[in-house]
């Protein structure tokens, strides 16, 4: 939310600087993320002044140049060489003096220097409007009113004022702070409460509102009072559509809104002033001179302001005329009923809509507008008519409009004022400090809470209508503490830290361990959306269509299902980085995958790895080896070893539609995940040309296995270990895991480790054959091994590996 400081200052008079105000607002819970200077013209025309062309003569050596003697109020005439065809003696012009920085439309700039042009000295520049950022024309210099004062700064002559913009990170519950007045209310409350200063909050007056004449009123009917509990409107005529006044344009530009015309700008202005969206209809386009607030007919066609035809849903609320929809209520206007240059009669709408209805419609049609943003969170129903009067008065001021109908106000809102009771003890407990009872009441009253009952134990307060989120005692205490100031909560003299009791490993503990381990290993964490393209999932044949969890109202057709695998997001992150010249990537992500089953939707916590590019960073001492599947497997095995689960794991070759060379991971015989090289079809879908290797493991399986393990202590061995190596010739489909299992099965007492340290596959071997070199580590914890014991153990191991199909070469 962008807040203009100049605009905010219209409602509250304070000596605070924008930066100081930002600190106060942050301490009230309206976190101000930045304070930026806003300039309607870049550089604010610093160094540009009004000049008077006293003399103007042709350049002796250039037909298109003129030599001007210009009075800039410095006491001496300045000679300036000018190339504009329209420069003439007696003109008042804008002059950029020496040292001035000129900011050009293309984003470049240059500094005015004393120079010679065709042999003639030039001490400045007479400017065109595009050179000053005041327009697009470069047909000639700007010629000013003859009454312009020589030497006056250009910014002052034009009435340019800079501003400061506060970027506030709003929480979703603070609809009231989605307008400048709501922010001013919080700022004033904090300043008054903390300093005792007499600061008044100045709400724009609407006492001058009155009907100017009698005219044909638009008849209003609300057919769905649940979806539209309050609807107000009035008709204005003699509207002259044109540009807004400069003061209004400056304020809209400061908060990032582009001025359109005075009518639309007024509705935007009031929306950002009061957090109450409005809509203006061209009344001449409303058929039957009627407004009907109703639900749309299923499949009803409607063209919105952006020119797109949309098919409406039976649950969409529309503002219709006598024949057709004119607006999607609270979301987007219609192309045929919008205000244009030809509009002279306007029907102005101010309404309160049920938040859930607006939210579902906006999501259904993929629309996110300033109006829907506010209506989705709930607006103040007591402000509907006030905002309408405020906008009408502004239209009278800036568009010459006349009010020709009484206000139509159909109010079906609940008249009951909600109350909340809380005790002072609750307040102190939740705040972590004692707050004086009178101070607490004063803070609430500054926020328009009305105390209806007070005793020695606590209060009963009426909640203001603009705070739809305040419903519990804790909410009221939060309001008190916000205004008191979170920064004013003292730290205790002593911090009492309870003893730490280590319980069994939980899901959060496991997640923290996994993340910390991988980060320490140099793997970078990514976070990707949980929404993916359903069509791509179906085409991949990784999952059946009926197993996909589809969104009823997707924001985009490209993001319409919950991800069945972490792979799609990982590939998107890899592609994003490669497109920015980052090709050596080691990523991990923790998230959930989703499947529809006959018993309902199943959500599974998953850890995923995605590696691509070089195995090691590019250094003069390292080789240029590319990442391979073995590297991802190695990283997975290091992780499993860290959890104490490596000995319980098995990798089995298995088909996976997303992966080549796919292997399924099982832990204690239970499926836990996958590893493999991403299939070419998936790489192509993500516009990737380099290999990517991927693994994912279910965190729930890891957690169950970890909880079933018990950490034990073993003394460091006192007796030396012995290593023996075997060179084996075997078939291409025989895996290391099979050899390792066979070895441990044959020698359970002395065998400690089996490692694969060399692999050869080449033309020196028969087709379909490969050579492995394995190391075997043997150790006895009670005595030193003899040669005879080692040879007997290795004999058993040789027989075991031969039994699974290996030929011992040496």
């Amino acid at each position: 939310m962008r807040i203009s400081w100049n605009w905010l200052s219209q409602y509250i008079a304070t000596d605070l600087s924008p930066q100081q105000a930002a600190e106060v607002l942050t301490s009230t819970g309206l976190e101000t993320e930045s304070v930026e200077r806003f300039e309607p013209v870049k550089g604010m025309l610093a160094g540009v002044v009004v000049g008077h062309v006293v003399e103007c003569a042709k350049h002796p050596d250039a037909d298109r140049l003129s030599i001007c003697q210009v009075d800039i109020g410095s006491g001496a005439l300045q000679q300036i060489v000018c190339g504009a065809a329209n420069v003439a003696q007696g003109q008042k012009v804008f002059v950029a003096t020496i040292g001035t920085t000129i900011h050009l439309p293309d984003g470049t700039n240059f500094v005015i220097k004393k120079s010679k042009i065709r042999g003639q000295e030039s001490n400045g520049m007479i400017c065109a409007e595009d050179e000053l950022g005041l327009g697009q024309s470069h047909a000639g210099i700007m010629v000013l009113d003859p009454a312009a004062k020589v030497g006056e700064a250009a910014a002052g002559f034009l009435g340019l004022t800079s501003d400061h913009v506060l970027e506030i990170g709003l929480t979703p519950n603070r609809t009231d702070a989605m307008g400048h007045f709501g922010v001013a209310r919080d700022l004033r409350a904090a300043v008054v409460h903390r300093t005792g200063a007499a600061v008044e909050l100045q709400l724009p007056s609407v006492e001058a509102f009155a009907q100017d004449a009698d005219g044909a009123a638009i008849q209003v009917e609300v057919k769905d009072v649940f979806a539209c509990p309050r609807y107000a409107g009035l008709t204005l005529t003699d509207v002259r559509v044109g540009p807004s006044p400069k003061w209004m344009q400056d304020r809209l530009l400061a908060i990032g809104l582009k001025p359109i015309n005075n009518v639309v700008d007024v509705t935007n202005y009031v929306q950002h002033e009061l957090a109450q969206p409005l809509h203006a209809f061209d009344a001449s386009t409303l058929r039957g001179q009627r407004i009907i607030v109703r639900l749309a007919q299923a499949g009803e066609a409607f063209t919105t302001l952006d020119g797109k035809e949309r098919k409406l849903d039976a649950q969409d609320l529309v503002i219709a005329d006598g024949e057709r929809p004119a607006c999607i209520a609270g979301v987007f206007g219609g192309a045929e009923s919008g205000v244009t240059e030809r509009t002279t009669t306007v029907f102005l709408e101010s309404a309160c809509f049920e938040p859930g209805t607006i939210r579902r419609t906006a999501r259904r049609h993929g629309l996110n507008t300033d109006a829907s943003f506010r209506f989705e969170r709930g607006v103040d129903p007591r402000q509907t008519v006030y905002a309408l009067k405020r906008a009408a008065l502004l239209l009278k001021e800036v568009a010459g409009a006349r009010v020709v109908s009484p206000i139509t106000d159909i109010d079906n809102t609940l008249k009951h004022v909600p109350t909340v009771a809380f005790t002072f003890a609750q307040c102190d407990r939740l705040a972590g400090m004692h707050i004086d009872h009178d101070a607490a009441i004063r803070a609430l009253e500054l926020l328009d809470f009305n105390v209806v009952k007070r005793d020695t134990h606590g209060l009963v307060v009426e909640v203001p209508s603009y705070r739809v989120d305040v419903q519990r005692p804790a909410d009221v205490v939060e309001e008190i503490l916000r205004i008191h100031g979170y920064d004013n909560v003292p730290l205790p003299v002593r911090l009492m830290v309870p003893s730490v009791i280590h319980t069994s490993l939980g899901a959060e503990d496991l997640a923290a361990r996994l993340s910390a381990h991988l980060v320490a290993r140099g793997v970078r964490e990514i976070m990707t959306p949980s929404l993916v393209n359903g069509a791509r999932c179906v085409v991949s044949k990784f999952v059946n269509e009926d197993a996909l969890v589809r969104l009823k109202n997707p924001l985009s057709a490209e993001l319409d299902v919950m991800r069945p695998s972490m792979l799609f997001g990982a590939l998107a992150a890899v592609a994003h980085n490669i497109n920015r010249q980052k090709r050596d990537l080691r990523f991990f992500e923790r998230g959930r995958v989703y499947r529809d089953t006959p018993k309902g939707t199943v959500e599974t916590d998953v850890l995923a790895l995605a590696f691509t590019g070089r195995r090691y960073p590019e250094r003069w001492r390292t080789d240029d080896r590319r990442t391979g599947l073995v590297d991802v497997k190695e990283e997975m095995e290091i992780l499993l070893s860290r959890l104490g689960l490596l000995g319980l794991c098995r990798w089995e070759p298995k088909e996976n539609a997303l992966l080549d060379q796919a292997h399924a991971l099982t832990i204690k015989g239970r499926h836990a995940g996958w590893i493999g090289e991403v299939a070419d079809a998936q790489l192509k879908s993500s516009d990737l040309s380099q290999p990517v290797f991927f693994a994912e493991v279910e965190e729930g399986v890891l957690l169950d296995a970890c909880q079933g393990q018990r950490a034990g202590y073993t003394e460091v061995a006192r007796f030396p270990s012995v290593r023996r190596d075997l060179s084996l010739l075997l078939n291409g489909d025989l895996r290391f895991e099979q050899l390792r299992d066979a070895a441990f099965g044959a020698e359970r007492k002395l065998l400690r480790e089996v490692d694969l340290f060399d692999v050869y596959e080449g033309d020196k071997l028969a087709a379909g054959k490969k050579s492995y070199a394995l190391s075997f580590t043997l150790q006895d914890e009670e005595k030193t091994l003899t040669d005879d014991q080692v040879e007997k153990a290795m004999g058993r191991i040789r027989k075991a590996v031969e039994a699974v199909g290996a030929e011992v070469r040496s």
Side-chain angles (χ1 to χ4, degrees):
M1 178 72 189
R2 291 172 64 86
I3 296 294
S4 158
W5 178 248
N6 290 348
W7 192 346
L8 191 74
S9 299
Q10 299 298 308
Y11 314 118
I12 176 173
T14 174
D15 295 331
L16 295 176
S17 68
Q19 288 75 17
Q20 290 171 328
E23 293 176 3
V24 174
L25 289 171
T26 297
S27 73
T28 68
L30 296 180
E31 183 181 359
T32 306
E33 298 170 347
S34 65
V35 179
E36 299 175 357
R37 180 180 170 86
F38 172 78
E39 298 174 339
V41 176
K42 190 171 184 179
M44 291 296 290
L45 304 183
V48 180
V49 299
V50 175
H52 177 215
V53 182
V54 178
E55 298 178 13
C56 182
K58 288 294 183 183
H59 194 294
D61 298 321
D63 293 340
R64 296 186 179 181
L65 298 179
S66 300
I67 301 175
C68 303
Q69 303 298 324
V70 184
D71 180 8
I72 61 172
S74 62
L77 296 181
Q78 301 294 322
Q79 178 171 296
I80 299 175
V81 178
C82 180
N86 66 328
V87 67
Q89 182 178 348
Q91 292 174 336
K92 296 289 180 68
V93 295
F94 281 139
V95 177
T97 58
I98 292 173
T100 298
T101 300
I102 297 295
H103 300 274
L104 297 177
D106 63 0
T108 61
N109 60 71
F110 65 91
V111 178
I112 300 296
K113 299 178 180 179
K114 186 176 181 178
S115 62
K116 281 193 175 183
I117 302 176
R118 293 290 184 94
Q120 297 295 319
E121 187 176 281
S122 184
N123 298 306
M125 183 175 78
I126 302 175
C127 302
E129 66 176 43
D130 66 328
E131 294 166 333
L132 298 178
L134 299 175
Q136 303 297 322
S137 174
H138 195 69
I141 61 169
M142 292 182 68
V143 179
L144 309 179
D145 188 316
K149 182 181 178 181
V150 172
E152 182 180 5
F157 175 80
L158 295 171
L160 298 179
T161 56
S162 63
D163 197 355
H164 285 83
V165 177
L166 285 64
E167 187 78 41
I168 296 178
L170 283 180
T171 52
N173 63 310
R174 292 302 305 276
T175 315
D176 61 296
M178 293 178 186
H180 283 69
F181 185 77
V183 174
R185 178 169 45 215
D186 268 19
L187 180 60
R188 180 248 181 180
V191 170
V192 171
H193 182 81
R194 298 174 193 177
T195 68
V199 179
E200 295 298 323
L201 189 63
Q202 299 168 350
L203 183 67
S205 173
V206 294
E207 290 183 0
F209 175 83
Q211 184 175 339
D212 300 303
D214 291 328
I218 303 294
Q219 301 300 311
V220 178
E221 179 184 2
V222 177
K223 290 190 173 182
D224 192 325
V225 297
F226 171 78
C228 179
R230 190 168 191 180
Y231 189 94
L234 58 79
T235 305
L236 303 102
T237 60
D238 298 337
V239 178
R240 296 189 298 273
V241 177
S244 298
K246 184 176 179 301
W247 65 266
M248 183 175 288
Q249 291 194 35
D250 285 348
R251 291 181 184 178
L252 294 176
L253 287 168
I255 63 172
L257 291 182
K258 180 181 178 182
I260 299 173
N261 60 53
N262 48 6
V263 177
V264 175
D265 291 351
V266 163
T267 62
N268 283 332
Y269 185 88
V270 174
Q271 174 175 256
H272 287 271
E273 178 180 57
L274 303 174
Q276 171 62 53
L278 305 174
H279 190 70
F281 298 90
D282 185 334
S284 66
T285 66
L286 299 176
R287 299 181 184 181
Q289 293 297 284
R290 298 180 64 198
I291 284 288
I292 304 172
V293 184
R294 61 172 174 83
L295 292 177
Q297 299 172 12
E300 191 170 9
F302 177 67
T303 303
T304 46
L305 277 171
D306 56 3
K308 294 183 179 179
E309 183 177 290
R310 304 176 189 274
K311 298 295 183 183
L312 301 179
D313 188 88
Q315 298 302 311
D316 293 336
L317 188 71
V318 297
I319 312 299
D321 59 21
E323 300 179 11
R324 61 190 178 170
C327 173
I328 301 178
V331 180
F332 214 14
E336 298 183 14
S337 62
V339 172
T340 68
E341 294 83 355
R342 298 183 299 275
T343 299
T344 58
T345 304
V346 167
F347 178 75
L348 192 61
E349 164 196 287
S350 179
C352 178
F353 300 114
E354 194 274 321
T357 300
I358 303 304
R359 181 167 51 252
R360 287 187 290 271
T361 294
R363 297 297 176 270
R364 191 177 294 120
H365 296 286
L367 295 170
N368 183 22
T369 62
D370 283 346
S372 68
F373 183 75
R374 287 162 175 79
F375 281 129
E376 287 175 17
R377 290 157 176 79
V379 298
D380 182 1
R382 300 289 178 264
Q383 192 172 242
T384 304
V385 172
Y386 172 82
L388 189 66
K389 291 180 178 179
R390 170 70 169 149
L393 288 173
L394 285 172
L395 285 174
K396 292 175 69 172
E397 176 185 343
V398 305
R402 294 192 308 140
V403 179
V404 296
S405 77
I407 292 177
T408 299
D409 181 19
I410 301 176
D411 184 4
N412 291 290
T413 57
L414 295 175
K415 302 305 183 284
H416 168 70
V417 179
T419 60
V420 177
F422 76 101
T423 66
F424 294 121
Q426 284 178 309
C427 182
D428 292 349
R429 180 176 58 81
L430 291 174
M433 61 179 292
H434 174 69
I435 297 178
D436 180 76
H437 299 175
D438 290 336
I441 293 171
R442 185 167 63 251
L444 291 173
E445 290 176 340
L446 286 168
L447 294 175
D448 301 329
F449 285 78
N450 180 34
V451 178
V452 296
K453 182 181 178 181
R454 175 183 180 177
D455 57 29
T456 56
H457 299 291
L459 302 174
V460 177
V461 295
E462 290 181 339
V463 179
S465 57
Y466 67 81
R467 288 309 301 270
V468 295
D469 61 308
V470 176
Q471 301 171 354
R472 305 167 301 163
D475 299 329
V476 179
V477 174
E478 180 184 3
E479 295 303 293
I480 296 171
L481 194 54
R482 283 197 315 109
I483 302 308
H484 181 76
Y486 294 121
D487 295 341
N488 293 326
V489 177
L491 287 174
V493 177
R494 291 188 304 164
L495 291 177
M496 305 299 291
V497 180
S499 58
V500 178
I501 300 175
H502 291 282
T503 58
S504 61
L505 184 69
E508 292 184 3
D509 298 326
L510 175 64
R513 289 189 190 183
L514 295 174
S515 298
H517 170 83
L518 289 169
V519 169
R521 294 278 303 166
V523 188
R524 294 180 180 271
E525 184 172 12
I526 59 173
M527 297 178 69
T528 64
S530 55
L531 298 176
V532 296
N533 188 317
R536 179 176 176 183
C537 296
V538 173
V539 170
S540 71
K541 298 181 181 179
F542 171 70
V543 61
N544 294 329
E545 185 167 3
D546 57 2
L548 293 175
V549 180
R550 292 191 174 275
L551 300 187
K552 291 184 178 179
N553 300 308
L555 293 173
S556 164
E558 296 296 314
L559 301 171
D560 58 341
V561 303
M562 305 298 287
R563 60 188 173 200
S565 169
M566 303 289 284
L567 175 65
F568 304 109
L571 291 181
V574 168
H576 178 85
N577 281 270
I578 289 178
N579 290 338
R580 287 155 181 79
Q581 309 307 313
K582 302 292 184 183
R583 309 187 70 85
D584 306 322
L585 306 170
R586 290 162 60 85
F587 287 157
F588 82 91
E589 180 178 14
R590 293 186 54 258
R592 286 184 177 176
V593 296
Y594 305 82
R595 292 286 184 97
D596 244 351
T597 69
K599 295 183 179 180
T601 301
V602 175
E603 302 180 19
T604 306
D605 290 316
V606 169
L607 169 69
L609 303 180
F611 291 5
T612 187
R614 292 186 183 89
R615 171 62 183 87
Y616 302 104
E618 189 176 16
R619 298 286 188 274
W620 68 273
R621 294 186 301 171
T622 59
D623 61 27
D624 196 37
R625 182 170 72 79
R626 298 282 144 173
T627 294
L629 185 57
V630 293
D631 297 305
V632 183
K633 183 183 178 186
E634 178 185 32
E635 198 65 57
M636 286 294 296
E637 289 184 338
I638 292 172
L639 175 63
L640 293 167
S641 178
R642 173 71 179 80
L643 297 174
L645 303 179
L646 184 59
L648 307 176
C649 299
R650 294 291 180 269
W651 300 97
E652 297 288 342
K654 201 169 183 180
E655 291 294 322
N656 185 305
L658 301 178
L659 304 173
D660 294 333
Q661 305 179 57
H663 285 66
L665 169 66
T666 59
I667 300 177
K668 291 184 176 180
R670 183 179 172 188
H671 176 78
W674 292 94
I675 189 171
E677 180 178 355
V678 178
D680 289 342
Q682 297 305 318
L683 295 177
K684 185 176 181 181
S685 295
S686 298
D687 294 325
L688 291 170
S689 57
Q690 67 185 56
V692 178
F693 301 90
F694 179 78
E696 66 179 15
V697 59
E698 296 180 13
E699 292 185 6
V701 179
L702 293 180
L703 181 61
D704 291 345
C706 288
Q707 290 175 339
Q709 294 290 96
R710 291 293 178 267
Y713 169 73
T714 303
E715 287 187 8
V716 176
R718 293 182 296 161
F719 301 100
S721 61
V722 176
R723 167 174 163 165
R724 291 289 186 268
D725 298 340
L726 290 180
S727 177
L728 307 175
L729 182 66
L730 44 127
N731 292 330
D733 59 353
L734 192 59
R735 294 177 291 108
F736 167 69
E737 287 84 354
Q738 294 172 275
L739 299 172
R740 182 180 60 189
D741 292 347
F744 275 110
E747 181 53 59
R748 299 178 181 275
K749 181 179 179 182
L750 301 180
L751 185 61
R752 296 290 177 263
E753 295 179 10
V754 180
D755 288 314
L756 172 65
F757 65 88
D758 190 35
V759 177
Y760 176 76
E761 294 177 284
D763 54 7
K764 295 181 180 180
L765 298 177
K769 295 288 186 178
K770 60 184 177 182
S771 174
Y772 277 4
L774 303 184
S775 67
F776 301 87
T777 302
L778 300 104
Q779 188 177 43
D780 192 326
E781 296 177 356
E782 299 177 355
K783 59 184 176 180
T784 302
L785 288 174
T786 64
D787 290 341
D788 184 56
Q789 287 177 302
V790 172
E791 289 306 318
K792 287 181 179 179
M794 289 303 301
R796 291 189 288 271
I797 292 173
R798 288 190 190 92
K799 290 180 180 179
V801 296
E802 288 173 344
V804 296
E807 178 185 338
V808 178
R809 303 176 69 183
S810 63

